[in-house]
Amino acid sequence: MFQRIISILSIIVFFVIIFIGYMSWNEKISKTTQEPISKDIQADTSETMALTFEKLQQVVTHLPESVQQMFKETYVNKKQINVVFVGSTSTGLHENGWSMKVKDALEKFYGTDLLKISIYEFDGTSTEFLNSELPEQIIEESPHLVFLESFRLADNHGFVTVEATQENLITFIEQISTELPEAAFIVQPPNPLSSAVNYPKEVEEIQQFLETNGIPYFNHWEKWPISNSEEMERLLKDGLPNEKGHEIWAEAIIDYFIATEK
């Protein structure tokens, strides 16, 4: 009888230990996903924001599924996403350019402990870009996400065919993927023009080609007043965005990376 009581007590203790262990593990997981991470908004102030896992899930909804998952896993694992912006002179690598505006906005929102952005601007065609040292430099950066401009505007001026642009984009993506298999890609067009005829068709053809090949495409042209040539003219200078044009482009990308209810 005594041995039976001991056996019963041992079984009860065993299940109690398992239950306590389960509750402890559950609490740890819950804390990881709900605990806000303090983010610096401005380096010269003490102002901070709390980005919870639930908030993160809400703001990344415009991004491709694979990139959404990347943000979530990186947040939970308390690591950093390395993003590179790559493009032609449309990129605007200067104080009022869209790339700098987006870099500042995203790093302030997500915090540089979660998101780091580098910018690579190349003055030339996609063919010249491929033959330059930049692709190797980008690989050395070990990006997790490559946000790539298609170079079609530079290629158009440089007499590079649409087919060659498409081939160059795929070659660059494959070059990165060979070295960094986990890297994700999003391609966007250069800036629109006010009265072009063939250029918009070429850009659309590239979009269809990339999407057919399973490469995510972000079309910021939807935010530009393309149907109004006079208004478009006020956003460009010598075929490239002026300060106001860069603002429109930047806002489109920021809304893409930080979804908000309108």
Side-chain angles (χ1 to χ4, degrees):
M1 183 69 181
F2 178 75
Q3 289 180 339
R4 179 179 295 181
I5 293 174
I6 293 296
S7 297
I8 293 172
L9 288 175
S10 297
I11 292 171
I12 292 173
V13 170
F14 173 76
F15 280 108
V16 168
I17 291 173
I18 289 178
F19 177 76
I20 292 174
Y22 171 79
M23 293 301 292
S24 176
W25 179 85
N26 221 23
E27 182 181 356
K28 187 179 295 185
I29 292 296
S30 177
K31 184 178 180 182
T32 300
T33 57
Q34 294 180 16
E35 180 184 57
I37 295 179
S38 181
K39 308 290 182 184
D40 290 335
I41 290 183
Q42 294 183 6
D44 57 348
T45 73
S46 59
E47 185 180 5
T48 60
M49 65 173 289
L51 179 63
T52 63
F53 185 73
E54 286 72 20
K55 180 65 175 178
L56 179 76
Q57 289 178 300
Q58 295 171 7
V59 298
V60 298
T61 53
H62 291 165
L63 298 171
E65 280 292 335
S66 61
V67 179
Q68 292 185 39
Q69 192 63 25
M70 178 189 298
F71 270 74
K72 295 171 188 176
E73 290 178 359
T74 304
Y75 181 101
V76 170
N77 294 323
K78 300 186 186 299
K79 293 184 178 179
Q80 185 184 59
I81 301 174
N82 191 2
V83 180
V84 295
F85 292 151
V86 184
S88 67
T89 49
S90 293
T91 305
L93 187 53
H94 51 75
E95 183 179 358
N96 295 317
W98 73 257
S99 57
M100 292 300 295
K101 291 177 182 292
V102 173
K103 172 181 167 68
D104 290 345
L106 298 190
E107 287 185 345
K108 286 176 182 177
F109 182 85
Y110 288 105
T112 52
D113 53 343
L114 179 64
L115 193 68
K116 173 197 170 191
I117 297 175
S118 303
I119 304 169
Y120 291 85
E121 180 182 274
F122 183 77
D123 186 3
T125 67
S126 61
T127 302
E128 292 167 335
F129 169 75
L130 274 182
N131 294 327
S132 73
E133 297 178 353
L134 274 187
E136 283 299 327
Q137 292 179 19
I138 293 169
I139 289 173
E140 291 175 4
E141 189 83 27
S142 297
H144 302 103
L145 173 61
V146 179
F147 196 76
L148 173 65
E149 183 234 294
S150 70
F151 284 93
R152 187 55 218 163
L153 184 57
D155 282 0
N156 185 289
H157 294 156
F159 304 104
V160 177
T161 65
V162 175
E163 292 75 18
T165 299
Q166 293 171 169
E167 184 178 339
N168 289 338
L169 290 171
I170 293 297
T171 298
F172 174 68
I173 290 172
E174 289 178 346
Q175 187 177 354
I176 299 289
S177 299
T178 299
E179 298 291 333
L180 305 167
E182 301 300 319
F185 299 86
I186 300 173
V187 180
Q188 65 168 343
N191 60 275
L193 298 176
S194 59
S195 56
V197 177
N198 293 325
Y199 173 57
K201 297 177 183 177
E202 296 169 354
V203 168
E204 185 177 356
E205 188 176 338
I206 290 172
Q207 177 178 356
Q208 293 174 353
F209 169 80
L210 292 169
E211 291 178 340
T212 299
N213 283 273
I215 299 170
Y217 190 88
F218 172 62
N219 186 12
H220 61 85
W221 282 25
E222 297 171 354
K223 303 294 184 180
W224 295 72
I226 298 174
S227 59
N228 188 328
S229 59
E230 289 187 7
E231 194 171 347
M232 274 295 300
E233 284 289 349
R234 290 195 286 268
L235 302 175
L236 302 170
K237 181 180 180 182
D238 300 326
L240 293 175
N242 57 22
E243 185 173 344
K244 187 64 179 175
H246 277 293
E247 284 181 12
I248 290 176
W249 197 342
E251 288 173 5
I253 297 177
I254 292 168
D255 288 345
Y256 183 53
F257 275 89
I258 307 173
T260 54
E261 295 183 4
K262 299 297 183 180

